[in-house]
Amino acid sequence: MPSAMFVAVQHDCGPMDKSAGTGPKSEEKREKMKRTLLKDWKSRLSYFLQNSSSPGKPKTGKKSKQQTFTKPSPEEAQLWSEAFDELLASKYGLAAFRAFLKSEFCEENIEFWLACEDFKKTKSPQKLSSKAKKIYTDFIEKEAPKEINIDFQTKTLIAQNIQEATSGCFTTAQKRVYSLMENNSYPRFLESEFYQDLCKKPQITTEPHAT
């Protein structure tokens, strides 16, 4: 369920309204909101880092080693701004981007893209068929719980393709969603407070030597 902190964010992945007024009180309010958003960002990020297993693979009851992800250096984080693929190739970057999309109420886009990536690696025809149907019911069909924004023609084509599922069933839709994220969500992610915070180099303070 979306956090109440983000009710002011537009559902169509639009940017937040920044017209919060002027003056000391407004500035203080903005700073407080900024700290709250960053705190919520970090809790979301922690969740996605801990649950970064492949889509469709439920966790077993067996004890497994806890995966740990080191926070990237400012230089590493800055590489994400060079290309969208650089961001997606980083586990930490991907988790951060998912957290950002969740804050904008459009995490279905990255979830669909990840599901497609997992789908393309599937070798078994039986698993391919069952995964295709699940992706269709989760993301494609009308009133799907995580329905993505693609045109009716593409949806119809997918509905036909999954009858005899192949690894290319969702190629067109995946490319459209990738382009949507690259051209809309990705630039806003790079402007977000959280990403800017990751890119900040720690300030080195030197204490004066006693004479």
Side-chain angles (χ1 to χ4, degrees):
M1 187 174 179
S3 169
M5 297 174 191
F6 296 100
V7 291
V9 184
Q10 295 177 12
H11 183 72
D12 62 351
C13 297
M16 286 193 293
D17 182 11
K18 295 181 180 178
S19 57
T22 55
K25 286 188 177 180
S26 295
E27 187 65 34
E28 185 180 339
K29 189 176 180 180
R30 279 197 296 272
E31 283 300 316
K32 187 176 180 181
M33 183 179 290
K34 177 180 171 181
R35 288 194 298 271
T36 304
L37 289 172
L38 283 174
K39 185 179 178 182
D40 195 62
W41 255 91
K42 286 171 184 175
S43 66
R44 290 177 190 278
L45 175 60
S46 176
Y47 171 81
F48 284 122
L49 286 173
Q50 290 171 18
N51 296 273
S52 60
S53 55
S54 298
K57 291 185 179 179
K59 293 184 178 179
T60 60
K62 295 178 182 178
K63 290 183 179 179
S64 57
K65 290 184 179 179
Q66 180 71 35
Q67 284 185 305
T68 56
F69 298 97
T70 308
K71 182 180 178 180
S73 66
E75 290 77 17
E76 289 173 319
Q78 285 166 10
L79 284 175
W80 302 346
S81 67
E82 293 184 4
F84 188 38
D85 283 336
E86 289 282 353
L87 174 66
L88 298 180
S90 161
K91 284 193 179 291
Y92 199 103
L94 177 60
F97 188 59
R98 290 182 73 182
F100 173 74
L101 290 183
K102 191 169 182 64
S103 77
E104 291 206 329
F105 303 138
C106 52
E107 67 269 28
E108 68 276 0
N109 289 330
I110 192 64
E111 288 181 13
F112 171 72
W113 185 86
L114 288 169
C116 289
E117 287 296 288
D118 176 66
F119 177 76
K120 289 187 294 187
K121 296 172 186 173
T122 305
K123 303 298 182 185
S124 164
Q126 290 79 13
K127 286 185 178 179
L128 205 64
S129 179
S130 63
K131 284 185 177 182
K133 289 174 182 175
K134 178 165 176 54
I135 291 174
Y136 181 78
T137 55
D138 283 353
F139 299 100
I140 307 297
E141 69 179 359
K142 189 177 180 180
E143 304 298 331
K146 301 175 184 178
E147 187 177 0
I148 57 171
N149 185 17
I150 56 173
D151 60 274
F152 178 76
Q153 191 175 10
T154 303
K155 287 189 175 188
T156 304
L157 182 62
I158 291 172
Q160 294 171 354
N161 288 343
I162 64 170
Q163 301 307 314
E164 293 182 15
T166 66
S167 59
C169 275
F170 304 100
T171 300
T172 301
Q174 188 184 15
K175 284 180 179 178
R176 289 181 190 235
V177 166
Y178 179 94
S179 178
L180 185 69
M181 292 190 295
E182 184 179 33
N183 294 317
N184 295 299
S185 304
Y186 173 57
R188 287 201 300 277
F189 169 76
L190 297 179
E191 293 175 358
S192 69
E193 298 287 356
F194 183 79
Y195 177 68
Q196 296 297 325
D197 190 55
L198 284 175
C199 291
K200 281 180 183 176
K201 293 183 179 180
Q203 292 184 351
I204 301 172
T205 55
T206 55
E207 295 182 5
H209 294 289
T211 54

